[in-house]
Amino acid sequence: QDLSEAEMNALIEEVRSQGDPHRGEFIYRRKELQCDVCHALGGAGGNLGPDMISLGASAPIDYIIESLLSPNNKVKEGYHMTTVYTKDDRVFNGFVAMEDDRQLVIRDASGQETALAQSQIDKKEIASVSMMPPGLTASLRRDEFIHLVRFLSELGKEGSFKVPPRRLVRRWRVLNFTSAIQESVRQGDQRFYALEDDMKEWIPSYSTVRGVLPINTIPSAKRWLYLVAPLRFEIDVTSSGVAAIQFNATLGMRAWVGETEATLENNQLRTALETGRHTITLVVDRNAFPKATLEAELVDIEGSTAAVQLVSGP
């Protein structure tokens, strides 16, 4: 909707005086809004729109409000809708993720990238519209909208909503408990969750700005007295050696590196790794885990030759 100057000023004042950024963060994380499907925070999240890591530090509140209500009026450079027509009559819509003299890579609304040789392209049209559809916040109450704007307006500023410079796990995968795995879940062998197969569907889940994952957001299955919540993350090793992940707690947790169970001591997983990509699978008993949130941090081991980085992205 279009706001008059008076309406905009009144809304800005409400954001400043009544907006709660902590409540706004949980609204941002609602699945139905799909904010993290398109936008990353500190590299974790979708790549259809710009990373929101410093939005509040670089954009005034009225800009944020207008971007939510009328996204076509505020399109960041490089994120306009582009249509590419090829010489063999194919049509691609999305935004240009990369372009040079040899090729163009276009990313569509599902995040799928298509690389096209420049010699294949007949013409390219850039529309003055955003890939963000209008009306995404229409389901929110006014107070919820105010909390959301306040959260976005705090991103990047000093305080609770500035991404800390620590190597925290931000992109997780949680298990979708489909009927295909129902029998295996019933049998209760926790090693099942670390095994690689086509039965399991792992879906993305992202840590908060502070770098923690709320335990109650991890899908779980009840098994006797346990509330089993499997999740995983990935690391890339470019130089072999001993690596360690420090957790805020490990009570009620088991861990696997690949398909091999790992020992947890002093809230830490420490293991020798060869070069390549490795999957760390955790199985957390939500009834036994002593914290409301899970934090996992990649830490250095003195004398280790390992060069390790967390895998981020969508």
Side-chain angles (χ1 to χ4, degrees):
Q1 65 186 50
D2 292 325
L3 301 178
S4 67
E5 183 178 353
E7 289 171 328
M8 177 65 80
N9 289 337
L11 197 54
I12 291 171
E13 179 55 34
E14 283 186 68
V15 170
R16 288 173 173 161
S17 62
Q18 302 176 32
D20 182 340
H22 297 280
R23 293 177 65 182
E25 181 169 24
F26 283 96
I27 294 167
Y28 176 91
R29 291 169 62 85
R30 286 182 185 173
K31 285 187 179 1
E32 57 268 30
L33 290 185
Q34 295 190 314
C35 298
D36 54 16
V37 172
C38 295
H39 296 279
L41 277 170
N47 52 15
L48 295 178
D51 195 308
M52 311 284 270
I53 185 172
S54 60
L55 177 65
S58 59
I61 294 176
D62 58 344
Y63 178 94
I64 296 171
I65 291 172
E66 189 171 0
S67 296
L68 292 172
L69 296 180
S70 305
N72 289 336
N73 294 346
K74 299 291 183 182
V75 185
K76 187 172 181 179
E77 185 66 30
Y79 289 92
H80 291 83
M81 178 72 76
T82 300
T83 302
V84 177
Y85 301 87
T86 65
K87 294 176 181 177
D88 56 358
D89 296 326
R90 291 179 295 160
V91 180
F92 299 90
N93 291 295
F95 76 87
V96 176
M98 191 281 291
E99 185 175 17
D100 58 25
D101 293 338
R102 296 185 302 105
Q103 69 172 356
L104 177 150
V105 178
I106 190 164
R107 184 180 297 145
D108 66 19
S110 69
Q112 180 69 38
E113 291 187 351
T114 302
L116 300 169
Q118 292 286 6
S119 59
Q120 293 178 276
I121 297 173
D122 182 35
K123 64 177 179 177
K124 180 178 67 174
E125 295 178 347
I126 301 176
S128 58
V129 296
S130 170
M131 289 194 59
M132 177 178 169
L136 284 181
T137 59
S139 63
L140 299 180
R141 302 190 310 266
R142 185 181 181 90
D143 63 309
E144 292 177 325
F145 182 81
I146 288 168
H147 296 321
L148 175 61
V149 174
R150 179 62 186 271
F151 164 67
L152 295 174
S153 72
E154 294 297 320
L155 289 174
K157 296 178 180 177
E158 293 299 330
S160 301
F161 300 98
K162 184 175 183 178
V163 173
R166 297 165 59 196
R167 294 181 295 172
L168 296 164
V169 176
R170 294 189 166 277
R171 188 196 76 170
W172 300 86
R173 293 284 187 264
V174 298
L175 186 63
N176 184 15
F177 284 94
T178 62
S179 58
I181 62 172
Q182 185 174 12
E183 180 58 26
S184 297
V185 172
R186 188 190 68 78
Q187 291 175 9
D189 182 3
Q190 292 190 8
R191 183 174 179 271
F192 161 76
Y193 301 109
L195 303 179
E196 296 296 338
D197 56 53
D198 294 332
M199 296 171 57
K200 305 183 194 72
E201 180 188 357
W202 295 95
I203 55 180
S205 185
Y206 304 104
S207 294
T208 64
V209 175
R210 191 163 59 88
V212 299
L213 185 68
I215 289 292
N216 62 6
T217 64
I218 309 172
S220 58
K222 191 171 184 180
R223 174 66 180 165
W224 302 108
L225 298 177
Y226 306 103
L227 195 57
V228 179
L231 69 166
R232 53 176 37 182
F233 60 94
E234 296 172 304
I235 56 177
D236 277 334
V237 180
T238 55
S239 178
S240 61
V242 178
I245 304 292
Q246 186 72 43
F247 299 97
N248 59 335
T250 54
L251 182 65
M253 178 193 294
R254 293 174 67 182
W256 286 260
V257 180
E259 296 184 356
T260 302
E261 188 162 10
T263 301
L264 296 169
E265 293 183 355
N266 299 320
N267 292 338
Q268 188 178 94
L269 184 160
R270 185 178 295 206
T271 184
L273 296 172
E274 297 298 323
T275 57
R277 180 163 293 190
H278 300 268
T279 299
I280 313 295
T281 302
L282 308 177
V283 178
V284 178
D285 177 6
R286 282 175 45 178
N287 287 336
F289 193 75
K291 305 286 188 178
T293 58
L294 173 62
E295 179 183 281
E297 181 180 8
L298 180 63
V299 294
D300 292 326
I301 301 297
E302 186 175 354
S304 175
T305 58
V308 185
Q309 64 180 7
L310 296 164
V311 177
S312 193

